[in-house]
């Protein structure tokens, strides 16, 4: 959540957009976005009104809006840029992109590439971090202890701030586990909290559909793969 706020403030800052026009050499800047604020979805995400304002501002500064594919092709072919450009990508495949953000990109004639978790869009799985987040929505009566792969955590919260801190600790710990161990740990956490995790994503975490994908392809959106279930795994450096 902290990283998302940081990216949101960066994206919506006049300074970052102005800076693009001051480079001596033309440059492509790629914004990698994830969630967009929309009623009925989990809180957080970028405000699409600000997104629209920033796209309009970028165009007014004569900065090209190009697709990620074009940026990569130009780079591989050694094609020089005539002026600075911006490309947008959106990860994961949440419904808020299809319903709230994609119309803004289309209205401003801005190419955007969405990278999809295929099992998520197919309704076969939902992101593990959302499963964890769904467990932290209410205060707990007593602290609990969990131990995963030698890491011991004492968890307890009575308000939203404490819940957010605990959620961050748990999420960062789980990122360091192999996917199978991570999913067992999430099941153990749910049991300890007395909460049942549904098989399908609740409405607030829902994905776009394949019908959405087909519809958006006709509006300038391109799509790419983003794994089947997005396990997230830290890679240890070999010294």
């Amino acid at each position: 959540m902290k990283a998302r706020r940081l990216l949101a403030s960066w994206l919506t800052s006049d300074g970052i957009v102005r800076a693009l026009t001051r480079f001596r050499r033309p440059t492509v800047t790629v914004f990698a976005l994830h969630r967009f604020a929309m009623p009925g979805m989990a809180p957080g995400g970028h405000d699409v009104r600000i997104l629209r304002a920033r796209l309009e501002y970028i165009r007014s500064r004569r900065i090209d809006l190009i697709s990620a594919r074009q940026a990569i092709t130009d780079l591989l072919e050694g094609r020089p840029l005539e002026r600075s450009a911006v490309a947008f990508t959106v990860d994961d495949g949440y419904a808020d992109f299809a319903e709230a953000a994609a119309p803004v990109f289309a209205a401003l004639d801005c190419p955007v590439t969405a990278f999809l978790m295929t099992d998520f869009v197919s309704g076969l799985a939902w992101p593990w971090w959302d499963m964890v987040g769904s467990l932290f929505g209410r205060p707990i009566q007593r602290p609990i202890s969990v131990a995963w792969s030698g890491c011991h955590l004492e968890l307890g919260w009575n308000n939203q701030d404490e819940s957010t801190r605990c959620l961050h600790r748990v999420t960062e710990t789980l990122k360091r586990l192999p996917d199978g161990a991570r999913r067992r740990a999430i099941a153990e956490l749910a049991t300890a909290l007395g909460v049942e995790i549904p098989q399908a994503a609740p409405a607030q975490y829902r994905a776009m559909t394949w019908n959405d994908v087909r519809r958006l392809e006709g509006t300038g959106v391109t799509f790419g793969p983003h794994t089947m279930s997005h396990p997230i795994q830290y890679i240890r450096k070999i010294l």
Side-chain angles (χ1 to χ4, degrees), residues 21-226:
T21 64
R22 296 175 183 171
F23 294 143
R24 292 181 180 177
R25 297 173 56 187
T27 305
V28 176
T29 299
V30 180
F31 287 102
L33 310 181
H34 290 79
R35 302 299 305 276
F36 299 89
M38 189 180 85
M41 296 293 284
H46 303 295
D47 188 327
V48 293
R49 295 169 299 180
I50 295 177
L51 173 65
R52 178 185 290 272
R54 292 307 156 194
L55 292 179
E56 292 172 345
Y57 182 78
I58 290 171
R59 283 214 177 277
S60 74
R61 302 296 293 182
R62 292 180 54 79
I63 299 171
D64 288 336
L65 291 167
I66 66 174
S67 68
R69 178 179 296 173
Q70 180 182 337
I72 293 170
T73 300
D74 289 348
L75 177 64
L76 293 177
E77 295 181 356
R79 188 179 300 130
L81 293 170
E82 295 182 1
R83 57 186 183 183
S84 291
V86 171
F88 284 89
T89 67
V90 179
D91 283 356
D92 300 332
Y94 286 95
D96 50 53
F97 168 70
E99 298 177 26
V104 175
F105 284 107
L108 273 296
D109 194 24
C110 176
V112 58
T113 300
F115 293 100
L116 306 178
M117 292 183 282
T118 53
D119 277 358
F120 184 35
V121 178
S122 297
L124 301 175
W126 53 299
W128 67 264
W129 57 87
D130 285 339
M131 293 182 183
V132 176
S134 71
L135 302 177
F136 285 75
R138 61 183 181 182
I140 59 175
Q141 301 299 316
R142 56 182 177 79
I144 62 171
S145 298
V146 293
W148 304 315
S149 298
C151 182
H152 182 264
L153 297 177
E154 294 285 340
L155 303 173
W157 62 91
N158 295 304
N159 55 55
Q160 186 59 52
D161 287 342
E162 293 174 356
S163 173
T164 300
R165 285 194 291 269
C166 285
L167 174 59
H168 178 73
R169 291 175 59 203
V170 168
T171 301
E172 291 303 306
T173 300
L174 291 174
K175 284 181 181 179
R176 291 167 168 79
L177 300 183
D179 193 46
R182 178 189 301 120
R183 294 187 179 278
R184 289 191 295 273
I186 294 171
E188 293 170 4
L189 178 61
T191 298
L193 293 172
V195 178
E196 184 175 348
I197 299 176
Q199 290 294 317
Q204 69 193 70
Y205 301 113
R206 68 187 183 277
M208 69 175 72
T209 67
W210 289 114
N211 283 336
D212 290 328
V213 173
R214 287 185 282 270
R215 173 177 57 82
L216 292 175
E217 280 185 318
T219 67
V221 180
T222 56
F223 292 91
H226 199 48

